[in-house]
Amino acid sequence: MRFLLDDEQREFARSLDAMLTAAGTPSVLRAWAAGDHGPGRALWGRLGDAGVFALAVPEAYGGLGPLPVEMAVACVGLGRHAVPGPVAETLAAAVLLAGAGGPAAKEWLPRIASGRAVVSLRLAGHGPYALDADAADAVFTVDGDELRLAPGPGEPSASADPARRLFRPEPGGDVAAAGPGVRGAARAAGDLAAFATAALALGCGEELLRATVAYVKQRTQFGVPVGSFQAVKHRLADTLLGLEFARPLLYGAAVELAGGAAGAGAAVAAAKAAAGEAGYAAARTALQSHGAVGYTEELDLAWWLRRARPLRDAWGTPSACRARVLAG
């Protein structure tokens, strides 16, 4: 069995990386955090043109998917560049709508696939908040057997990352679908949201490690680079190991999701726990290695530092994910 990405998947990763590097995401993040969603929506449209959101949408609705391995490739890249917006939630909403079916699926799935729709999501059992609901074209909520379109973004709540704003959706709203199929679609959407968030966390950790290695090579103490100190080397090596151990769990979960395996949920939980913890450990290493400069708002890396912990806890805390693995 071949476990490596194929040439087409690697080229997809390279093209996304080039596009996002040229986009200058730190300035997009600052605008998004300040309430200016224009640059972020423009970037979202380019991601749609690249086929990122179509990966979660079935071909019957104008998509390419579902293709979990390619989704992992894309989300790792988006996490590496800290792309703002409800990425995991939009991908999960595509799975939810496709599973629930009905007029809402026909209306929203082609728009999601093209990148013309930003969608947020709140599922029962996954907390009361929807990410970036103020910037979303739609916020879907699921309680029991009812899928509803929330009437408004709702009340804002505090967040550790100013570019990841949380809202408690307003109750009520139009029923988009109902019946026992909604409950199963919601379970699949929750797994996909956790899976995509794990990939974002892994990408975030990779960028934190890359930036930290570059910094300790050029920062000096006692006339030598701090990266030459054994304690720093060991800390960076531990960080790398955490990320590299999480990677096969992520792609293993992708393979199980693609095959519809019964144990896919437990595989996703294992990937989420490992990637979330590894990304957060990378943030702690980065903050310590950068010293006082790591606390400054002017440092672009501050956006990644603030993002690591929310990604660790969103769509399944490490303890909740471990409990699911044990139960599975």
Side-chain angles (χ1 to χ4, degrees):
M1 181 178 291
R2 181 178 175 84
F3 290 99
L4 298 176
L5 298 177
D6 61 31
D7 291 340
E8 187 175 348
Q9 290 162 342
R10 288 194 292 269
E11 180 56 35
F12 178 48
R14 284 191 291 267
S15 65
L16 272 181
D17 184 69
M19 182 185 74
L20 292 170
T21 299
T25 50
S27 62
V28 177
L29 278 162
R30 287 187 168 88
W32 190 275
D36 178 8
H37 302 128
R41 291 297 297 253
L43 178 57
W44 199 276
R46 293 199 291 276
L47 291 171
D49 293 339
V52 169
F53 302 108
L55 297 172
V57 177
E59 293 182 11
Y61 296 97
L64 302 170
L67 296 172
V69 175
E70 285 75 9
M71 269 189 270
V73 171
C75 287
V76 169
L78 269 58
R80 191 179 297 123
H81 289 273
V83 171
V87 172
E89 290 72 16
T90 296
L91 295 171
V95 171
L96 173 64
L97 289 164
K106 295 179 180 179
E107 176 184 358
W108 287 99
L109 285 174
R111 295 176 61 187
I112 290 173
S114 67
R116 291 183 292 112
V118 176
V119 178
S120 194
L121 184 65
R122 181 192 65 77
L123 300 177
H126 291 279
Y129 302 111
L131 178 66
D132 291 322
D134 61 329
D137 299 298
V139 178
F140 289 101
T141 66
V142 175
D143 286 298
D145 291 339
E146 286 191 342
L147 167 62
R148 290 181 176 269
L149 180 61
E155 181 182 353
S157 181
S159 174
D161 180 354
R164 284 177 57 88
R165 302 182 64 191
L166 300 175
F167 291 81
R168 188 186 293 267
E170 295 177 6
D174 296 332
V175 177
V182 170
R183 197 179 294 269
R187 284 195 296 269
D191 285 345
L192 198 282
F195 170 73
T197 303
L200 292 169
L202 180 62
C204 179
E206 288 180 349
E207 176 57 20
L208 285 161
L209 179 60
R210 184 208 62 79
T212 304
V213 170
Y215 182 73
V216 299
K217 284 181 178 179
Q218 58 90 21
R219 180 189 171 197
T220 60
Q221 241 181 13
F222 309 114
V224 297
V226 297
S228 65
F229 299 155
Q230 193 172 37
V232 176
K233 289 181 180 179
H234 286 177
R235 186 71 182 265
L236 293 171
D238 288 343
T239 301
L240 176 62
L241 284 173
L243 294 168
E244 290 303 318
F245 273 109
R247 191 184 316 280
L249 289 174
L250 176 69
Y251 285 105
V255 171
E256 296 218 21
L257 285 170
V268 167
K272 178 64 172 57
E277 292 278 41
Y280 185 49
R284 297 200 307 271
T285 297
L287 185 60
Q288 182 177 14
S289 301
H290 278 78
V293 71
Y295 290 91
T296 62
E297 289 286 342
E298 291 78 12
L299 183 71
D300 285 343
L301 197 68
W303 295 100
W304 282 260
L305 289 169
R306 287 183 167 185
R307 179 151 295 197
R309 184 163 184 171
L311 288 175
R312 183 195 71 173
D313 295 339
W315 297 102
T317 63
S319 60
C321 288
R322 291 190 185 98
R324 186 174 185 188
V325 172
L326 291 172

